[in-house]
Amino acid sequence: MRVLARFAFGLLCMAGSVAAASQDLSIDAINSAGDLSMKPEKGPSPLLIKAQVLLDRARFSPGVIDGRDGENLQNAIKAFEKARGLQVDGALDEELLAKLNETSTDPVLISYTIADEDVKGPFIEIPDKLEAQAELEKLFYSSAEELLAEKFHMDIDLLKELNPGKRFDVAGTSIVVANVAPAGAAEDKPEVEKIEVVKSEKALRVLGKDGAVLAVYPASIGSEEKPAPSGTHTVRAVAPDPVYTYNPDYAFKGVKAKEKFEIKPGPNNPVGSTWIDLSVESFGIHGTPEPEKIGKAHSNGCVRLTNWDVEELAGMVEKETPVDFLD
């Protein structure tokens, strides 16, 4: 019986006799990563970076690409395994890696030259309190590195680790980034039958006309204090660059306002870059200014995705697309 080398996520400690290998984070090392016997260190793993990018491109989103183990990555792997008819265990083994490699032959990391539009700003400091955010003319990015990290679905720390000593606020600088948009991806618009919001799995699934899983995204779905709805609803509209309106009836913790107020659009708006309005009043599917917290922190009742995931979802759904909330 052939024994598969495995990364058993959540059980990454190996025998003490196995020396920890140094992690080569060069573009060539990550693009060619495939050694399942390497012991991951505390920092980013080349193989996990590769797996996350391939999952992202296959629309089984791991959330923020950070090269580290976590629940979002495990859930993305399980969803991919189930969709491909593999054993569902959340482990990265030879069979799974082969299936991931079959999804795309494009390199997972590429060189990118920082453009003028990436650094022109304006960049601003975003206050924590919603009332203070309402005083801003727009909720811009806070820095060029935040813009670039979000543009390539990456954690800011990983962006820095892949580009030691590089400045991200200088146009013309060549940096290494995740290749999250392979050639022809924009032309591939699947036919969506319905959306399923699975509360127990902290996930949003997109199903096609034949019941096939077209995409899976990690999600923050309500809380005990502000639970998400149940039952079946529909998409009413899609709003890019939404204005966020706070209603004192929401009674959010820490917000003292007694009257409605608005917060201008922008990627750091409380509902992120896109709002998908649902037929249940005041609920929607939306983005976030804090992508690293998706699936880890509660939302205020709505379904919260990363900005890039909700933008991709918005490009697939249409008015009246059914949305099932499953407990």
Side-chain angles (χ1 to χ4, degrees):
M1 179 178 180
R2 184 169 64 92
V3 179
L4 297 177
R6 307 177 73 82
F7 263 153
F9 292 126
L11 298 172
L12 293 175
C13 293
M14 298 175 69
S17 61
V18 179
S22 60
Q23 302 296 311
D24 182 355
L25 297 181
S26 69
I27 189 170
D28 290 337
I30 293 172
N31 281 334
S32 62
D35 186 352
L36 292 161
S37 67
M38 295 284 286
K39 176 185 176 182
E41 294 182 331
K42 291 183 179 180
S45 157
L47 190 56
L48 296 190
I49 295 171
K50 183 174 185 176
Q52 286 176 322
V53 175
L54 290 172
L55 285 163
D56 182 288
R57 293 205 307 232
R59 295 196 178 106
F60 290 82
S61 173
V64 174
I65 295 169
D66 59 7
R68 291 166 168 82
D69 181 26
E71 186 177 8
N72 286 344
L73 175 56
Q74 293 175 37
N75 288 341
I77 289 175
K78 290 176 182 178
F80 183 85
E81 289 171 330
K82 186 175 182 179
R84 295 299 191 274
L86 305 177
Q87 178 183 350
V88 181
D89 57 10
L92 179 56
D93 55 31
E94 292 175 0
E95 187 177 25
L96 175 65
L97 185 58
K99 288 292 185 182
L100 284 173
N101 283 326
E102 288 174 6
T103 64
S104 174
T105 58
D106 293 340
V108 296
L109 295 187
I110 56 173
S111 295
Y112 174 76
T113 301
I114 297 176
D116 290 335
E117 63 182 19
D118 295 326
V119 300
K120 69 179 182 181
F123 302 112
I124 62 172
E125 183 176 348
I126 307 295
D128 293 330
K129 290 188 175 296
L130 294 184
E131 294 97 327
Q133 292 179 15
E135 298 177 5
L136 302 175
E137 66 172 281
K138 190 171 182 180
L139 278 291
F140 298 101
Y141 287 108
S142 61
S143 65
E145 62 189 32
E146 183 190 32
L147 180 153
L148 289 164
E150 184 152 309
K151 186 173 187 174
F152 297 104
H153 309 181
M154 298 170 67
D155 178 70
I156 290 179
D157 288 341
L158 179 62
L159 181 66
K160 292 178 179 179
E161 287 167 311
L162 294 180
N163 297 281
K166 294 290 184 74
R167 288 186 58 177
F168 301 103
D169 58 352
V170 179
T173 302
S174 178
I175 60 173
V176 174
V177 298
N179 183 19
V180 291
E187 302 171 5
D188 180 19
K189 181 178 178 179
E191 292 188 43
V192 174
E193 177 69 21
K194 67 176 179 177
I195 294 169
E196 292 182 340
V197 178
V198 189
K199 299 176 186 178
S200 61
E201 298 179 11
K202 301 178 185 176
L204 181 150
R205 291 197 294 250
V206 183
L207 303 182
K209 300 294 183 183
D210 56 356
V213 177
L214 303 176
V216 178
Y217 305 114
S220 293
I221 309 168
S223 65
E224 290 185 6
E225 181 182 340
K226 302 285 185 181
S230 297
T232 299
H233 308 279
T234 59
V235 171
R236 291 200 299 195
V238 173
D241 290 325
V243 172
Y244 174 75
T245 301
Y246 177 79
N247 188 326
D249 292 343
Y250 300 159
F252 290 169
K253 186 177 180 180
V255 182
K256 299 179 180 180
K258 302 301 181 183
E259 296 183 359
K260 290 183 180 182
F261 62 84
E262 292 185 344
I263 297 177
K264 301 297 192 301
N268 276 309
N269 182 283
V271 293
S273 63
T274 305
W275 172 270
I276 299 175
D277 196 41
L278 301 182
S279 57
V280 56
E281 191 62 34
S282 78
F283 282 93
I285 303 168
H286 63 82
T288 179
E290 298 178 303
E292 70 281 357
K293 293 185 178 181
I294 291 298
K296 304 170 187 177
H298 297 301
S299 75
N300 288 312
C302 293
V303 180
R304 185 185 301 161
L305 310 179
T306 66
N307 280 343
W308 53 87
D309 284 343
V310 75
E311 288 168 14
E312 183 174 78
L313 177 63
M316 291 190 278
V317 300
E318 298 178 351
K319 188 175 181 179
E320 303 301 329
T321 297
V323 181
D324 291 344
F325 284 82
L326 308 177
D327 294 325

